[in-house]
Amino acid sequence: MNKSELTDAIADEADISRASAARALDAALTAIQESLQNGEPVALVGFGTLSVRERAARTGRNPRTGEQIEIAAAKLPAFKPGKALKDALN
């Protein structure tokens, strides 16, 4: 499912226009992004929790040349599914 299909599904489920559903989805995604940028987790009860994880710097290897390179530390988004989502899939 892509963003357009998700927008259509929201519009059908909520019985609102596609434009309103697109604005609501964009607003929700923006709020989630801003929260994660501030280091705050986003907990959606029954669905899961989005958070930011730190990946430490490490030494890697260029597969083409075999040369060792330093890979910088990074912040990555992480998702931990909630119990209701796990139960719905199994």
Side-chain angles (χ1 to χ4, degrees):
M1 176 180 278
N2 60 32
K3 188 174 180 181
S4 177
E5 293 168 341
L6 181 57
T7 300
D8 291 340
I10 292 170
D12 290 342
E13 184 69 27
D15 195 27
I16 58 176
S17 71
R18 188 176 186 287
S20 295
R23 285 193 304 274
L25 179 59
D26 287 340
L29 294 176
T30 299
I32 290 170
Q33 182 178 348
E34 288 174 357
S35 180
L36 292 175
Q37 284 174 335
N38 293 331
E40 303 166 358
V42 177
L44 303 171
V45 177
F47 184 72
T49 303
L50 292 149
S51 61
V52 176
R53 291 192 183 150
E54 303 261 341
R55 185 171 64 194
R58 64 193 191 279
T59 302
R61 185 173 303 276
N62 182 333
R64 182 172 291 165
T65 64
E67 174 188 359
Q68 284 193 346
I69 57 172
E70 279 299 313
I71 300 171
K75 293 181 180 179
L76 300 170
F79 177 72
K80 182 178 177 189
K83 183 176 181 342
L85 179 59
K86 287 181 195 176
D87 291 345
L89 297 176
N90 292 316

